[in-house]
Amino acid sequence: MAMTWSFSGITTFAHLKHVKCLTTPSEKFDIAIVGAPFDTATSYRPGARFGPRAIRQASSRQTSFRGFNPRAGINPYASWATIIDCGDIPITPFDNAVALGQMSEAFVELGSRSAPLGEKVKGKGKGKRKPKLITLGGDHSLALPALRALKKGYGREVRVVHFDAHLDTWHPAKYPSAWPSTQSHFNHGSMFWLAGQEGLLSNSSSASNIHAGLRTRLSGTDPSDFVDDSSQNWLRISADDIDDLGGPAGVIAAIMDQFDLNDPDPDPVYLSIDIDVLDPAFAPGTGTPEPGGWTTRELIRILRGLVDVLNVVGADVVEVSPAYQGRGEETALAAAQVVYEVLTGMVKRGLKDGSSEERAEGGVDKAHDEL
């Protein structure tokens, strides 16, 4: 196929093949990009419903022709994995209960497909493989339906590595409201609390979930929000800790210390990346900006130290609100680069796990697998 210039063509993520996967059940993929244009569970600035579109636009300079990642030694777009853009989940902006149901059903459907060369799932039958989804947000509440799908698909609790300025484990009943409602509990600051209540997250004392990049203000006059967070078995790494730990390498080590890298059946890990983990100087286009965050380079360095080592089974990049970014698209560009790094890690992990060898055995050119 002739090369497509980065500034031409219909906008999909990295010029990937576009398929409406939810209405094309026969379509198989190892890794899918899926948009979740939803932002009516936000507590401050809305606008992240336009995030998937902005991230795709910002990814235009990513192509399979010029996609080689010299850090990892592979081109994720020209290796073993079938990667496609599945488009957006149809989500209503008028009813959050319906929206939650729509996202939950969509993630379960997409995650239940049999991937061409995806990860083998223990106990799911010989040859059964699961694809991996990278979701473009949308506000952060989408992590709840994504985790529901992963628990159903993998039959076990999931570990979360959460990059964010905020905890997102707040007890929803503590939000001030003169007219409380059950549905208001589902919001972009409580979805991990809800996930814990639903039994979606690992709660073993030796298997913490992890926050990284925190610099949030707390409620009231004491650190009781941290107490609530600790009771839900989360390890907190603050934005300031990057200095005390000796830079990105120290943050990587602190996260990796929570995992048994010799486990033959490693925990499934979900990466949830709120773009507001970055300082507003680097990502102003977000719903709840907090000064004092990490640089784009620091976040990328940290992700590079994690994604091809951990058993990452899914990821999201959320809270990109393009109306608040500058003309240079700095927030969306950062998000698109984060997706590229996560993709690279997933593909490289697949090389280690043997997917490339199976592809070669099936008669496909092995050259790409040896990049």
Side-chain angles (χ1 to χ4, degrees), residues 294-340:
W294 289 342
T295 68
T296 308
R297 178 178 56 80
E298 288 168 337
L299 175 61
I300 289 170
R301 284 294 300 274
I302 292 165
L303 289 171
R304 287 174 172 175
L306 302 176
V307 289
D308 58 1
V309 180
L310 298 178
N311 180 29
V312 177
V313 296
D316 63 49
V317 181
V318 299
E319 299 286 356
V320 173
S321 295
Y324 307 108
Q325 70 180 359
R327 293 182 179 179
E329 302 178 286
E330 59 282 291
T331 309
L333 283 167
Q337 182 68 24
V338 165
V339 174
Y340 172 68

Side-chain angles (χ1 to χ4, degrees), residues 13 45 47-48 50-59 62 136-138 273-289 296 299-300 317-339:
F13 189 88
R45 300 193 308 201
F50 298 104
R53 181 181 297 176
I55 297 169
R56 288 186 174 104
Q57 175 63 35
S59 74
Q62 298 185 38
L136 312 179
I273 305 164
D274 189 324
I275 207 65
D276 74 22
V277 71
L278 300 178
D279 190 88
F282 302 94
T286 190
T288 317
T296 308
L299 175 61
I300 289 170
V317 181
V318 299
E319 299 286 356
V320 173
S321 295
Y324 307 108
Q325 70 180 359
R327 293 182 179 179
E329 302 178 286
E330 59 282 291
T331 309
L333 283 167
Q337 182 68 24
V338 165
V339 174

Side-chain angles (χ1 to χ4, degrees), residues 16 48 52 83 154-155 188 206 217 235 239 249 282 305:
L16 292 168
I83 309 172
Y154 284 84
H188 75 159
S206 61
R217 287 169 290 279
L235 171 73
F282 302 94

Side-chain angles (χ1 to χ4, degrees), residues 97-116:
V98 173
L100 176 57
Q102 290 172 318
M103 288 187 283
S104 297
E105 290 296 323
F107 285 129
V108 167
E109 165 60 24
L110 294 174
S112 66
R113 301 282 171 87
S114 180

Side-chain angles (χ1 to χ4, degrees), residues 2-49:
M3 185 193 77
T4 299
W5 289 105
S6 59
F7 51 79
S8 65
I10 301 300
T11 301
T12 66
F13 189 88
H15 300 270
L16 292 168
K17 173 185 174 183
H18 172 231
V19 180
K20 291 185 177 180
C21 297
L22 288 170
T23 55
T24 313
S26 60
E27 189 70 28
K28 293 185 178 182
F29 48 84
D30 295 296
I31 303 171
I33 306 296
V34 59
F38 173 74
D39 65 4
T40 54
T42 54
S43 58
Y44 190 46
R45 300 193 308 201
R49 69 182 65 181

Side-chain angles (χ1 to χ4, degrees), residues 3-343:
M3 185 193 77
T4 299
W5 289 105
S6 59
F7 51 79
S8 65
I10 301 300
T11 301
T12 66
F13 189 88
H15 300 270
L16 292 168
K17 173 185 174 183
H18 172 231
V19 180
K20 291 185 177 180
C21 297
L22 288 170
T23 55
T24 313
S26 60
E27 189 70 28
K28 293 185 178 182
F29 48 84
D30 295 296
I31 303 171
I33 306 296
V34 59
F38 173 74
D39 65 4
T40 54
T42 54
S43 58
Y44 190 46
R45 300 193 308 201
R49 69 182 65 181
F50 298 104
R53 181 181 297 176
I55 297 169
R56 288 186 174 104
Q57 175 63 35
S59 74
S60 294
R61 289 195 65 247
Q62 298 185 38
T63 65
S64 59
F65 170 74
R66 186 161 285 168
F68 184 78
N69 190 327
R71 181 276 308 177
I74 62 170
N75 180 338
Y77 303 118
S79 188
W80 61 269
T82 299
I83 309 172
I84 64 174
D85 188 328
C86 279
D88 291 344
I89 301 168
I91 307 170
T92 179
F94 303 120
D95 187 320
N96 283 6
V98 173
L100 176 57
Q102 290 172 318
M103 288 187 283
S104 297
E105 290 296 323
F107 285 129
V108 167
E109 165 60 24
L110 294 174
S112 66
R113 301 282 171 87
S114 180
L117 290 171
E119 179 181 349
K120 288 182 179 179
V121 181
K122 296 181 184 302
K124 299 295 182 180
K126 184 177 180 180
K128 178 69 173 178
R129 300 179 177 278
K130 307 297 288 184
K132 298 182 181 184
L133 307 180
I134 301 178
T135 307
L136 312 179
D139 74 46
H140 212 155
S141 62
L142 65 85
L144 176 62
L147 288 166
R148 285 176 173 176
L150 288 170
K151 172 68 180 296
K152 184 172 182 177
Y154 284 84
R156 59 194 288 192
E157 295 83 4
V158 179
R159 302 278 298 278
V160 174
V161 180
H162 172 221
F163 293 89
D164 203 320
H166 310 94
L167 292 169
D168 293 350
T169 57
W170 275 288
H171 193 303
K174 292 186 176 182
Y175 278 82
S177 176
W179 290 14
S181 71
T182 300
Q183 187 49 46
S184 68
H185 288 186
F186 171 62
N187 60 70
H188 75 159
S190 66
M191 69 285 174
F192 288 130
W193 183 88
L194 292 170
Q197 294 296 302
E198 293 185 16
L200 309 179
L201 305 180
S202 170
N203 59 3
S204 166
S205 60
S206 61
S208 297
N209 300 294
I210 301 155
H211 302 295
L214 295 173
R215 55 193 187 280
T216 185
R217 287 169 290 279
L218 304 180
S219 308
T221 58
D222 59 42
S224 58
D225 288 337
F226 282 164
V227 175
D228 287 348
D229 186 69
S230 295
S231 71
Q232 297 170 61
N233 197 37
W234 286 82
L235 171 73
R236 293 182 296 278
I237 299 173
S238 74
D240 291 346
D241 286 340
I242 199 167
D243 300 316
D244 300 332
L245 293 171
V251 174
I252 293 167
I255 294 172
M256 298 305 292
D257 281 348
Q258 302 301 310
F259 293 89
D260 180 0
L261 302 183
N262 296 314
D263 188 345
D265 185 19
D267 294 330
V269 176
Y270 184 75
L271 291 181
S272 193
I273 305 164
D274 189 324
I275 207 65
D276 74 22
V277 71
L278 300 178
D279 190 88
F282 302 94
T286 190
T288 317
E290 302 284 0
W294 289 342
T295 68
T296 308
R297 178 178 56 80
E298 288 168 337
L299 175 61
I300 289 170
R301 284 294 300 274
I302 292 165
L303 289 171
R304 287 174 172 175
L306 302 176
V307 289
D308 58 1
V309 180
L310 298 178
N311 180 29
V312 177
V313 296
D316 63 49
V317 181
V318 299
E319 299 286 356
V320 173
S321 295
Y324 307 108
Q325 70 180 359
R327 293 182 179 179
E329 302 178 286
E330 59 282 291
T331 309
L333 283 167
Q337 182 68 24
V338 165
V339 174
Y340 172 68
E341 298 296 345
V342 174
L343 264 175

